[in-house]
Amino acid sequence: MASRAKATILDIAREAGVSKSTVSLVLQGSGLIRPETATKVRKAIEDVGYVYNRGAANLRKAHSNVIGMVINDLTNPFFAELAVGMERVFQAAGVVPFIANTAENPVRQEEVLKSLMEQGVAGLIVSPARGTSPGTFRRIETAGVPIVFTMRRLPDSRIPVIAPDNHRGAVLAAEHLIRRGHRRLAFFGGSSDLVVYQERLGGFLEACETFGIPAPDRLIVEGETNRKGGMACLETALAVPRPPTAALCFNDAVAFGVMLALRKRGLEAGADFAVVGFDDVAEAEHYSPALTSVAVDTAGLGERAAHVMLKMIQSRTTRAENHIGAVSLVVRESSGPDRNSQVGDAA
């Protein structure tokens, strides 16, 4: 093909059948791109006659960089869906990510981060483990490695965060329960050392204040953020003198545990006790009864985190804007009927 003086990256992308970001990474000599993809892009560069100022030698630079996806709990279906969203973007860009599960263990997280740094990691997407110290990522930031936090943030950290509007989601959920006639409400799961817990609990309490639910009728039970934690939270709540009639759960995993514990007592979510989750994982729709939950576009958040990371790598920067994703409440069977129209004491 004859050389074209004004060939662009878009021309290369079209010729090679890849994205512009993939072409850019190849032009920068990044080792993030699969060898076969890089070869295809280089052939397209020759075919369209593109001239890159750094010269052809830079196209052949070899790196052993990887992108690390460090997740606090891959047994939670929410984080598995989040990781799939990230992986989808990286795969389209010809990048193969390294996924690690820290199982909420900050010591394990330190080991994973150290290993990734030793391998010359190009970037990190992290959902920090519970108990992560504020200084954990300072050494990585000093090294100039881009980091994106997803779902969770650390207090006073400047690292960009991709997360849903946790406060707004909790407001919507609590308002829904109150409008359905519940006057004794609970917030189940999570712990005060998590910023996301503070955000979700804050939304719950704001809705209670707005609708005049007095403090004695707001039960807050901290616990593990899984099914086991949800089961324990329900047992604690039902043991108080005036137990709640409804609960907003820290996440869907906690909600599933609450529903299991209800069933063990011969009770049913929705009919006997209203349950609302947070995250709206795929299982929520198919659970029995189907779980009312705050939808956060899990895969979309994962995709956004991956796009931000690729852009940071290409721009050679460790700075990016935070992204707070929109939320909505998906009402299903578990939050029960409108108690305002029922005879009896709903208070």
Side-chain angles (χ1 to χ4, degrees):
M1 180 182 291
S3 175
R4 285 184 278 172
K6 294 184 179 181
T8 67
I9 287 178
L10 190 59
D11 294 324
I12 300 169
R14 192 179 295 116
E15 181 76 17
V18 298
S19 68
K20 287 194 295 182
S21 61
T22 299
V23 175
S24 295
L25 286 169
V26 173
L27 287 170
Q28 291 169 25
S30 171
L32 291 165
I33 306 300
R34 292 192 185 101
E36 59 268 32
T37 302
T39 299
K40 185 165 60 174
V41 170
R42 293 190 190 110
K43 182 178 185 304
I45 289 170
E46 293 177 4
D47 287 346
V48 302
Y50 181 84
V51 178
Y52 186 50
N53 289 338
R54 291 190 195 173
N58 277 352
L59 295 177
R60 299 182 180 87
K61 283 198 302 183
H63 295 289
S64 58
N65 293 342
V66 296
I67 289 180
M69 292 162 51
V70 184
I71 307 298
N72 59 293
D73 183 12
L74 278 175
T75 64
N76 182 334
F78 171 82
F79 287 104
E81 291 174 23
L82 187 78
V84 167
M86 290 188 273
E87 194 172 35
R88 186 181 300 136
V89 171
F90 289 138
Q91 188 173 17
V95 175
V96 179
F98 177 91
I99 305 176
N101 178 32
T102 62
E104 293 287 20
N105 186 332
V107 176
R108 169 62 179 155
Q109 180 176 263
E110 286 274 11
E111 293 170 351
V112 169
L113 293 172
K114 182 174 182 291
S115 175
L116 288 168
M117 288 296 287
E118 289 173 352
Q119 294 178 46
V121 68
L124 290 165
I125 299 179
V126 184
S127 183
R130 180 180 171 186
T132 297
S133 67
T136 298
F137 295 93
R138 286 190 191 128
R139 178 174 53 87
I140 300 172
E141 288 183 276
T142 302
V145 175
I147 310 169
V148 171
F149 283 158
T150 182
M151 295 309 299
R152 294 179 174 180
R153 69 188 79 206
L154 296 182
D156 303 319
S157 172
R158 296 177 61 195
I159 292 170
V161 179
I162 310 296
D165 193 337
N166 291 306
H167 184 93
R168 174 64 179 159
V171 168
L172 290 174
E175 282 186 353
H176 170 70
L177 291 171
I178 296 167
R179 290 183 190 280
R180 290 241 164 146
H182 295 278
R183 293 295 178 268
R184 295 196 307 274
L185 282 76
F187 185 93
F188 287 163
S191 55
S192 56
D193 58 343
L194 291 174
V195 175
V196 61
Y197 171 85
Q198 300 290 355
E199 292 171 343
R200 294 181 181 181
L201 177 61
F204 170 81
L205 293 176
E206 180 183 301
C208 289
E209 289 283 352
T210 301
F211 285 85
I213 305 297
D217 291 335
R218 311 172 204 160
L219 180 65
I220 300 164
V221 186
E222 294 190 20
E224 293 181 56
T225 57
N226 52 32
R227 282 173 167 80
K228 180 182 175 184
M231 295 177 78
C233 284
L234 182 79
E235 295 303 321
T236 298
L238 295 186
V240 303
R242 280 169 53 84
T245 60
L248 168 58
C249 300
F250 176 80
N251 61 18
D252 288 349
V254 170
F256 293 144
V258 170
M259 293 163 80
L260 284 170
L262 284 167
R263 190 160 292 163
K264 284 189 174 183
R265 284 174 163 259
L267 303 173
E268 193 71 7
D272 301 301
F273 188 96
V275 180
V276 178
F278 205 116
D279 294 337
D280 195 31
V281 299
E283 187 181 355
E285 181 183 0
H286 305 292
Y287 210 78
S288 181
L291 176 65
T292 295
S293 186
V294 178
V296 303
D297 186 16
T298 315
L301 288 172
E303 290 172 1
R304 172 63 72 106
H307 281 302
V308 169
M309 175 52 64
L310 288 174
K311 188 173 182 180
M312 290 170 74
I313 292 170
Q314 291 167 351
S315 304
R316 300 177 186 276
T317 182
T318 58
R319 292 284 167 253
E321 294 294 320
N322 291 341
H323 171 76
I324 305 302
V327 296
S328 62
L329 183 68
V330 181
V331 178
R332 302 189 181 99
E333 299 164 12
S334 72
S335 53
D338 186 343
R339 291 162 61 95
N340 292 304
S341 61
Q342 294 181 342
V343 177
D345 180 20

